[in-house]
Amino acid sequence: MRAIECLKYGGSENLVLTEFEKPTPKDNEVLIKIKATSVTTSDVLIRRLNEPAVSRFILQMIFGFGKPRNPILGMVSSGIIEAKGKEVSKFNVGDEVFAYGSVSPTKRLFGSYAEYICLPQDWNIAHKPNNKSFQESAAIPYGGLLASHLLKKTSIKNGDKVLIYGASGSIGTMAIQLAKHAGAHVTSVCSSKNFDLVKSLGSDEAIDYRVDNAESQLSTYKYVIDAVGNNKSSALKEASKKAVTSEGKYISIDHGTPLTPKEAFMNLKSLAEQDKITAVIDRVYPLEKIAEAHEYVEMGHKRGNVIITV
C-alpha cells in the first residue's frame, strides 16, 4: 500500500511517499480502506518536535526517539471496511465508517496517512454519518473530540456567556457549535476575515484579536475557552483570562491530557447526523502532497480542517 513515512523529526521534507505492506486485521480488528484523513495541529507538533528540551524528551518517550516509533502518522480516518477479524460483530465488509485512533491517553494508534489501517472494533470507530461525505466525516473527530473535552469541563446553562479564543480553527469551530447547542451566548475571538464563518456556526459576537485595544471589547464570561493553547497569545488573550465572573472558569486545551472517550465520539456522530454540527473544511490535498498540507497547517491560520484524500 502507499503511505506517508516520517523519516525523522523536523521539517515537512521528512514526509515521504513510500510503499508499505498492507496490514492484516487481528481477530478483533477491522481493515479500513481509507478515503480521507486530515492533517491536524497535533500531527504537525509530533512531526516537527521542536519543543524545549524537557518537553521534547517526554514526547520522544511517548512517540519514539529520533523518529516516530510508528513512521506513519495520522489518527483520523474515514473509509470502507475491506476485511474484518473473526471476532468482529459490529461491522461488516463494505460498511462506510469514520474513526479516531485514540480512546484514552494510553490507547492510541497512528497510521492514517495511508491507503489502509487496522483498528479494534471497540475503539473510536462508527458507521459514517449517512448525510456526510468521507471528507466531511474525516473533519469531525479531531476538533470535535477536543472541543468536547473542553466543554466537558463546563456546566453551561441557557444564556451563559462563553468566550472562545481561537474560534476559527478545527477545535474552535466545533466548540462554537457545541456551546451553542448547550444554550450559550458565544463570543468568538479570531481575525476579522473569519467573522462570517464563526457567525454562520452560531457565534453571537466576534472580536478581532489583532486590532488595537481589542481587550476593551471584552465583557465578563462564565467560561473562557482557549482552543489554541500556549503556542499562541496576544494582549487580548491575557486579558480574557481575567474576564471571568466570580463563578467563572478559564479552560485551556493545554490544561491536562485531552480525553477522547467513546461516548463523546458517538455523540459527535449523532449531532452530525442531525445536522447540529458542521465540519468546516479549509483545504483538500491528495496524499502525495501531504508535505504541502503540513506546511499550510504549520502557518497557523487554517479555517477549520485540512483534509487529505487517499
Side-chain angles (χ1 to χ4, degrees), residues 248-266:
K249 185 190 298 185
Y250 169 76
I251 304 166
S252 171
I253 192 64
D254 282 342
H255 290 166
T257 302
L259 301 178
T260 55
K262 184 67 175 280
E263 56 265 29
F265 183 79
M266 297 306 294

Side-chain angles (χ1 to χ4, degrees), residues 171-207:
I171 302 172
T173 51
M174 282 294 185
I176 292 170
Q177 297 175 83
L178 294 175
K180 285 300 295 182
H181 182 65
H185 178 97
V186 174
T187 298
S188 294
V189 175
C190 56
S191 63
S192 58
K193 69 178 182 179
N194 292 321
F195 280 4
D196 287 345
L197 169 63
V198 298
K199 289 182 178 179
S200 73
L201 298 173
S203 185
D204 300 284
E205 301 176 49
I207 301 174

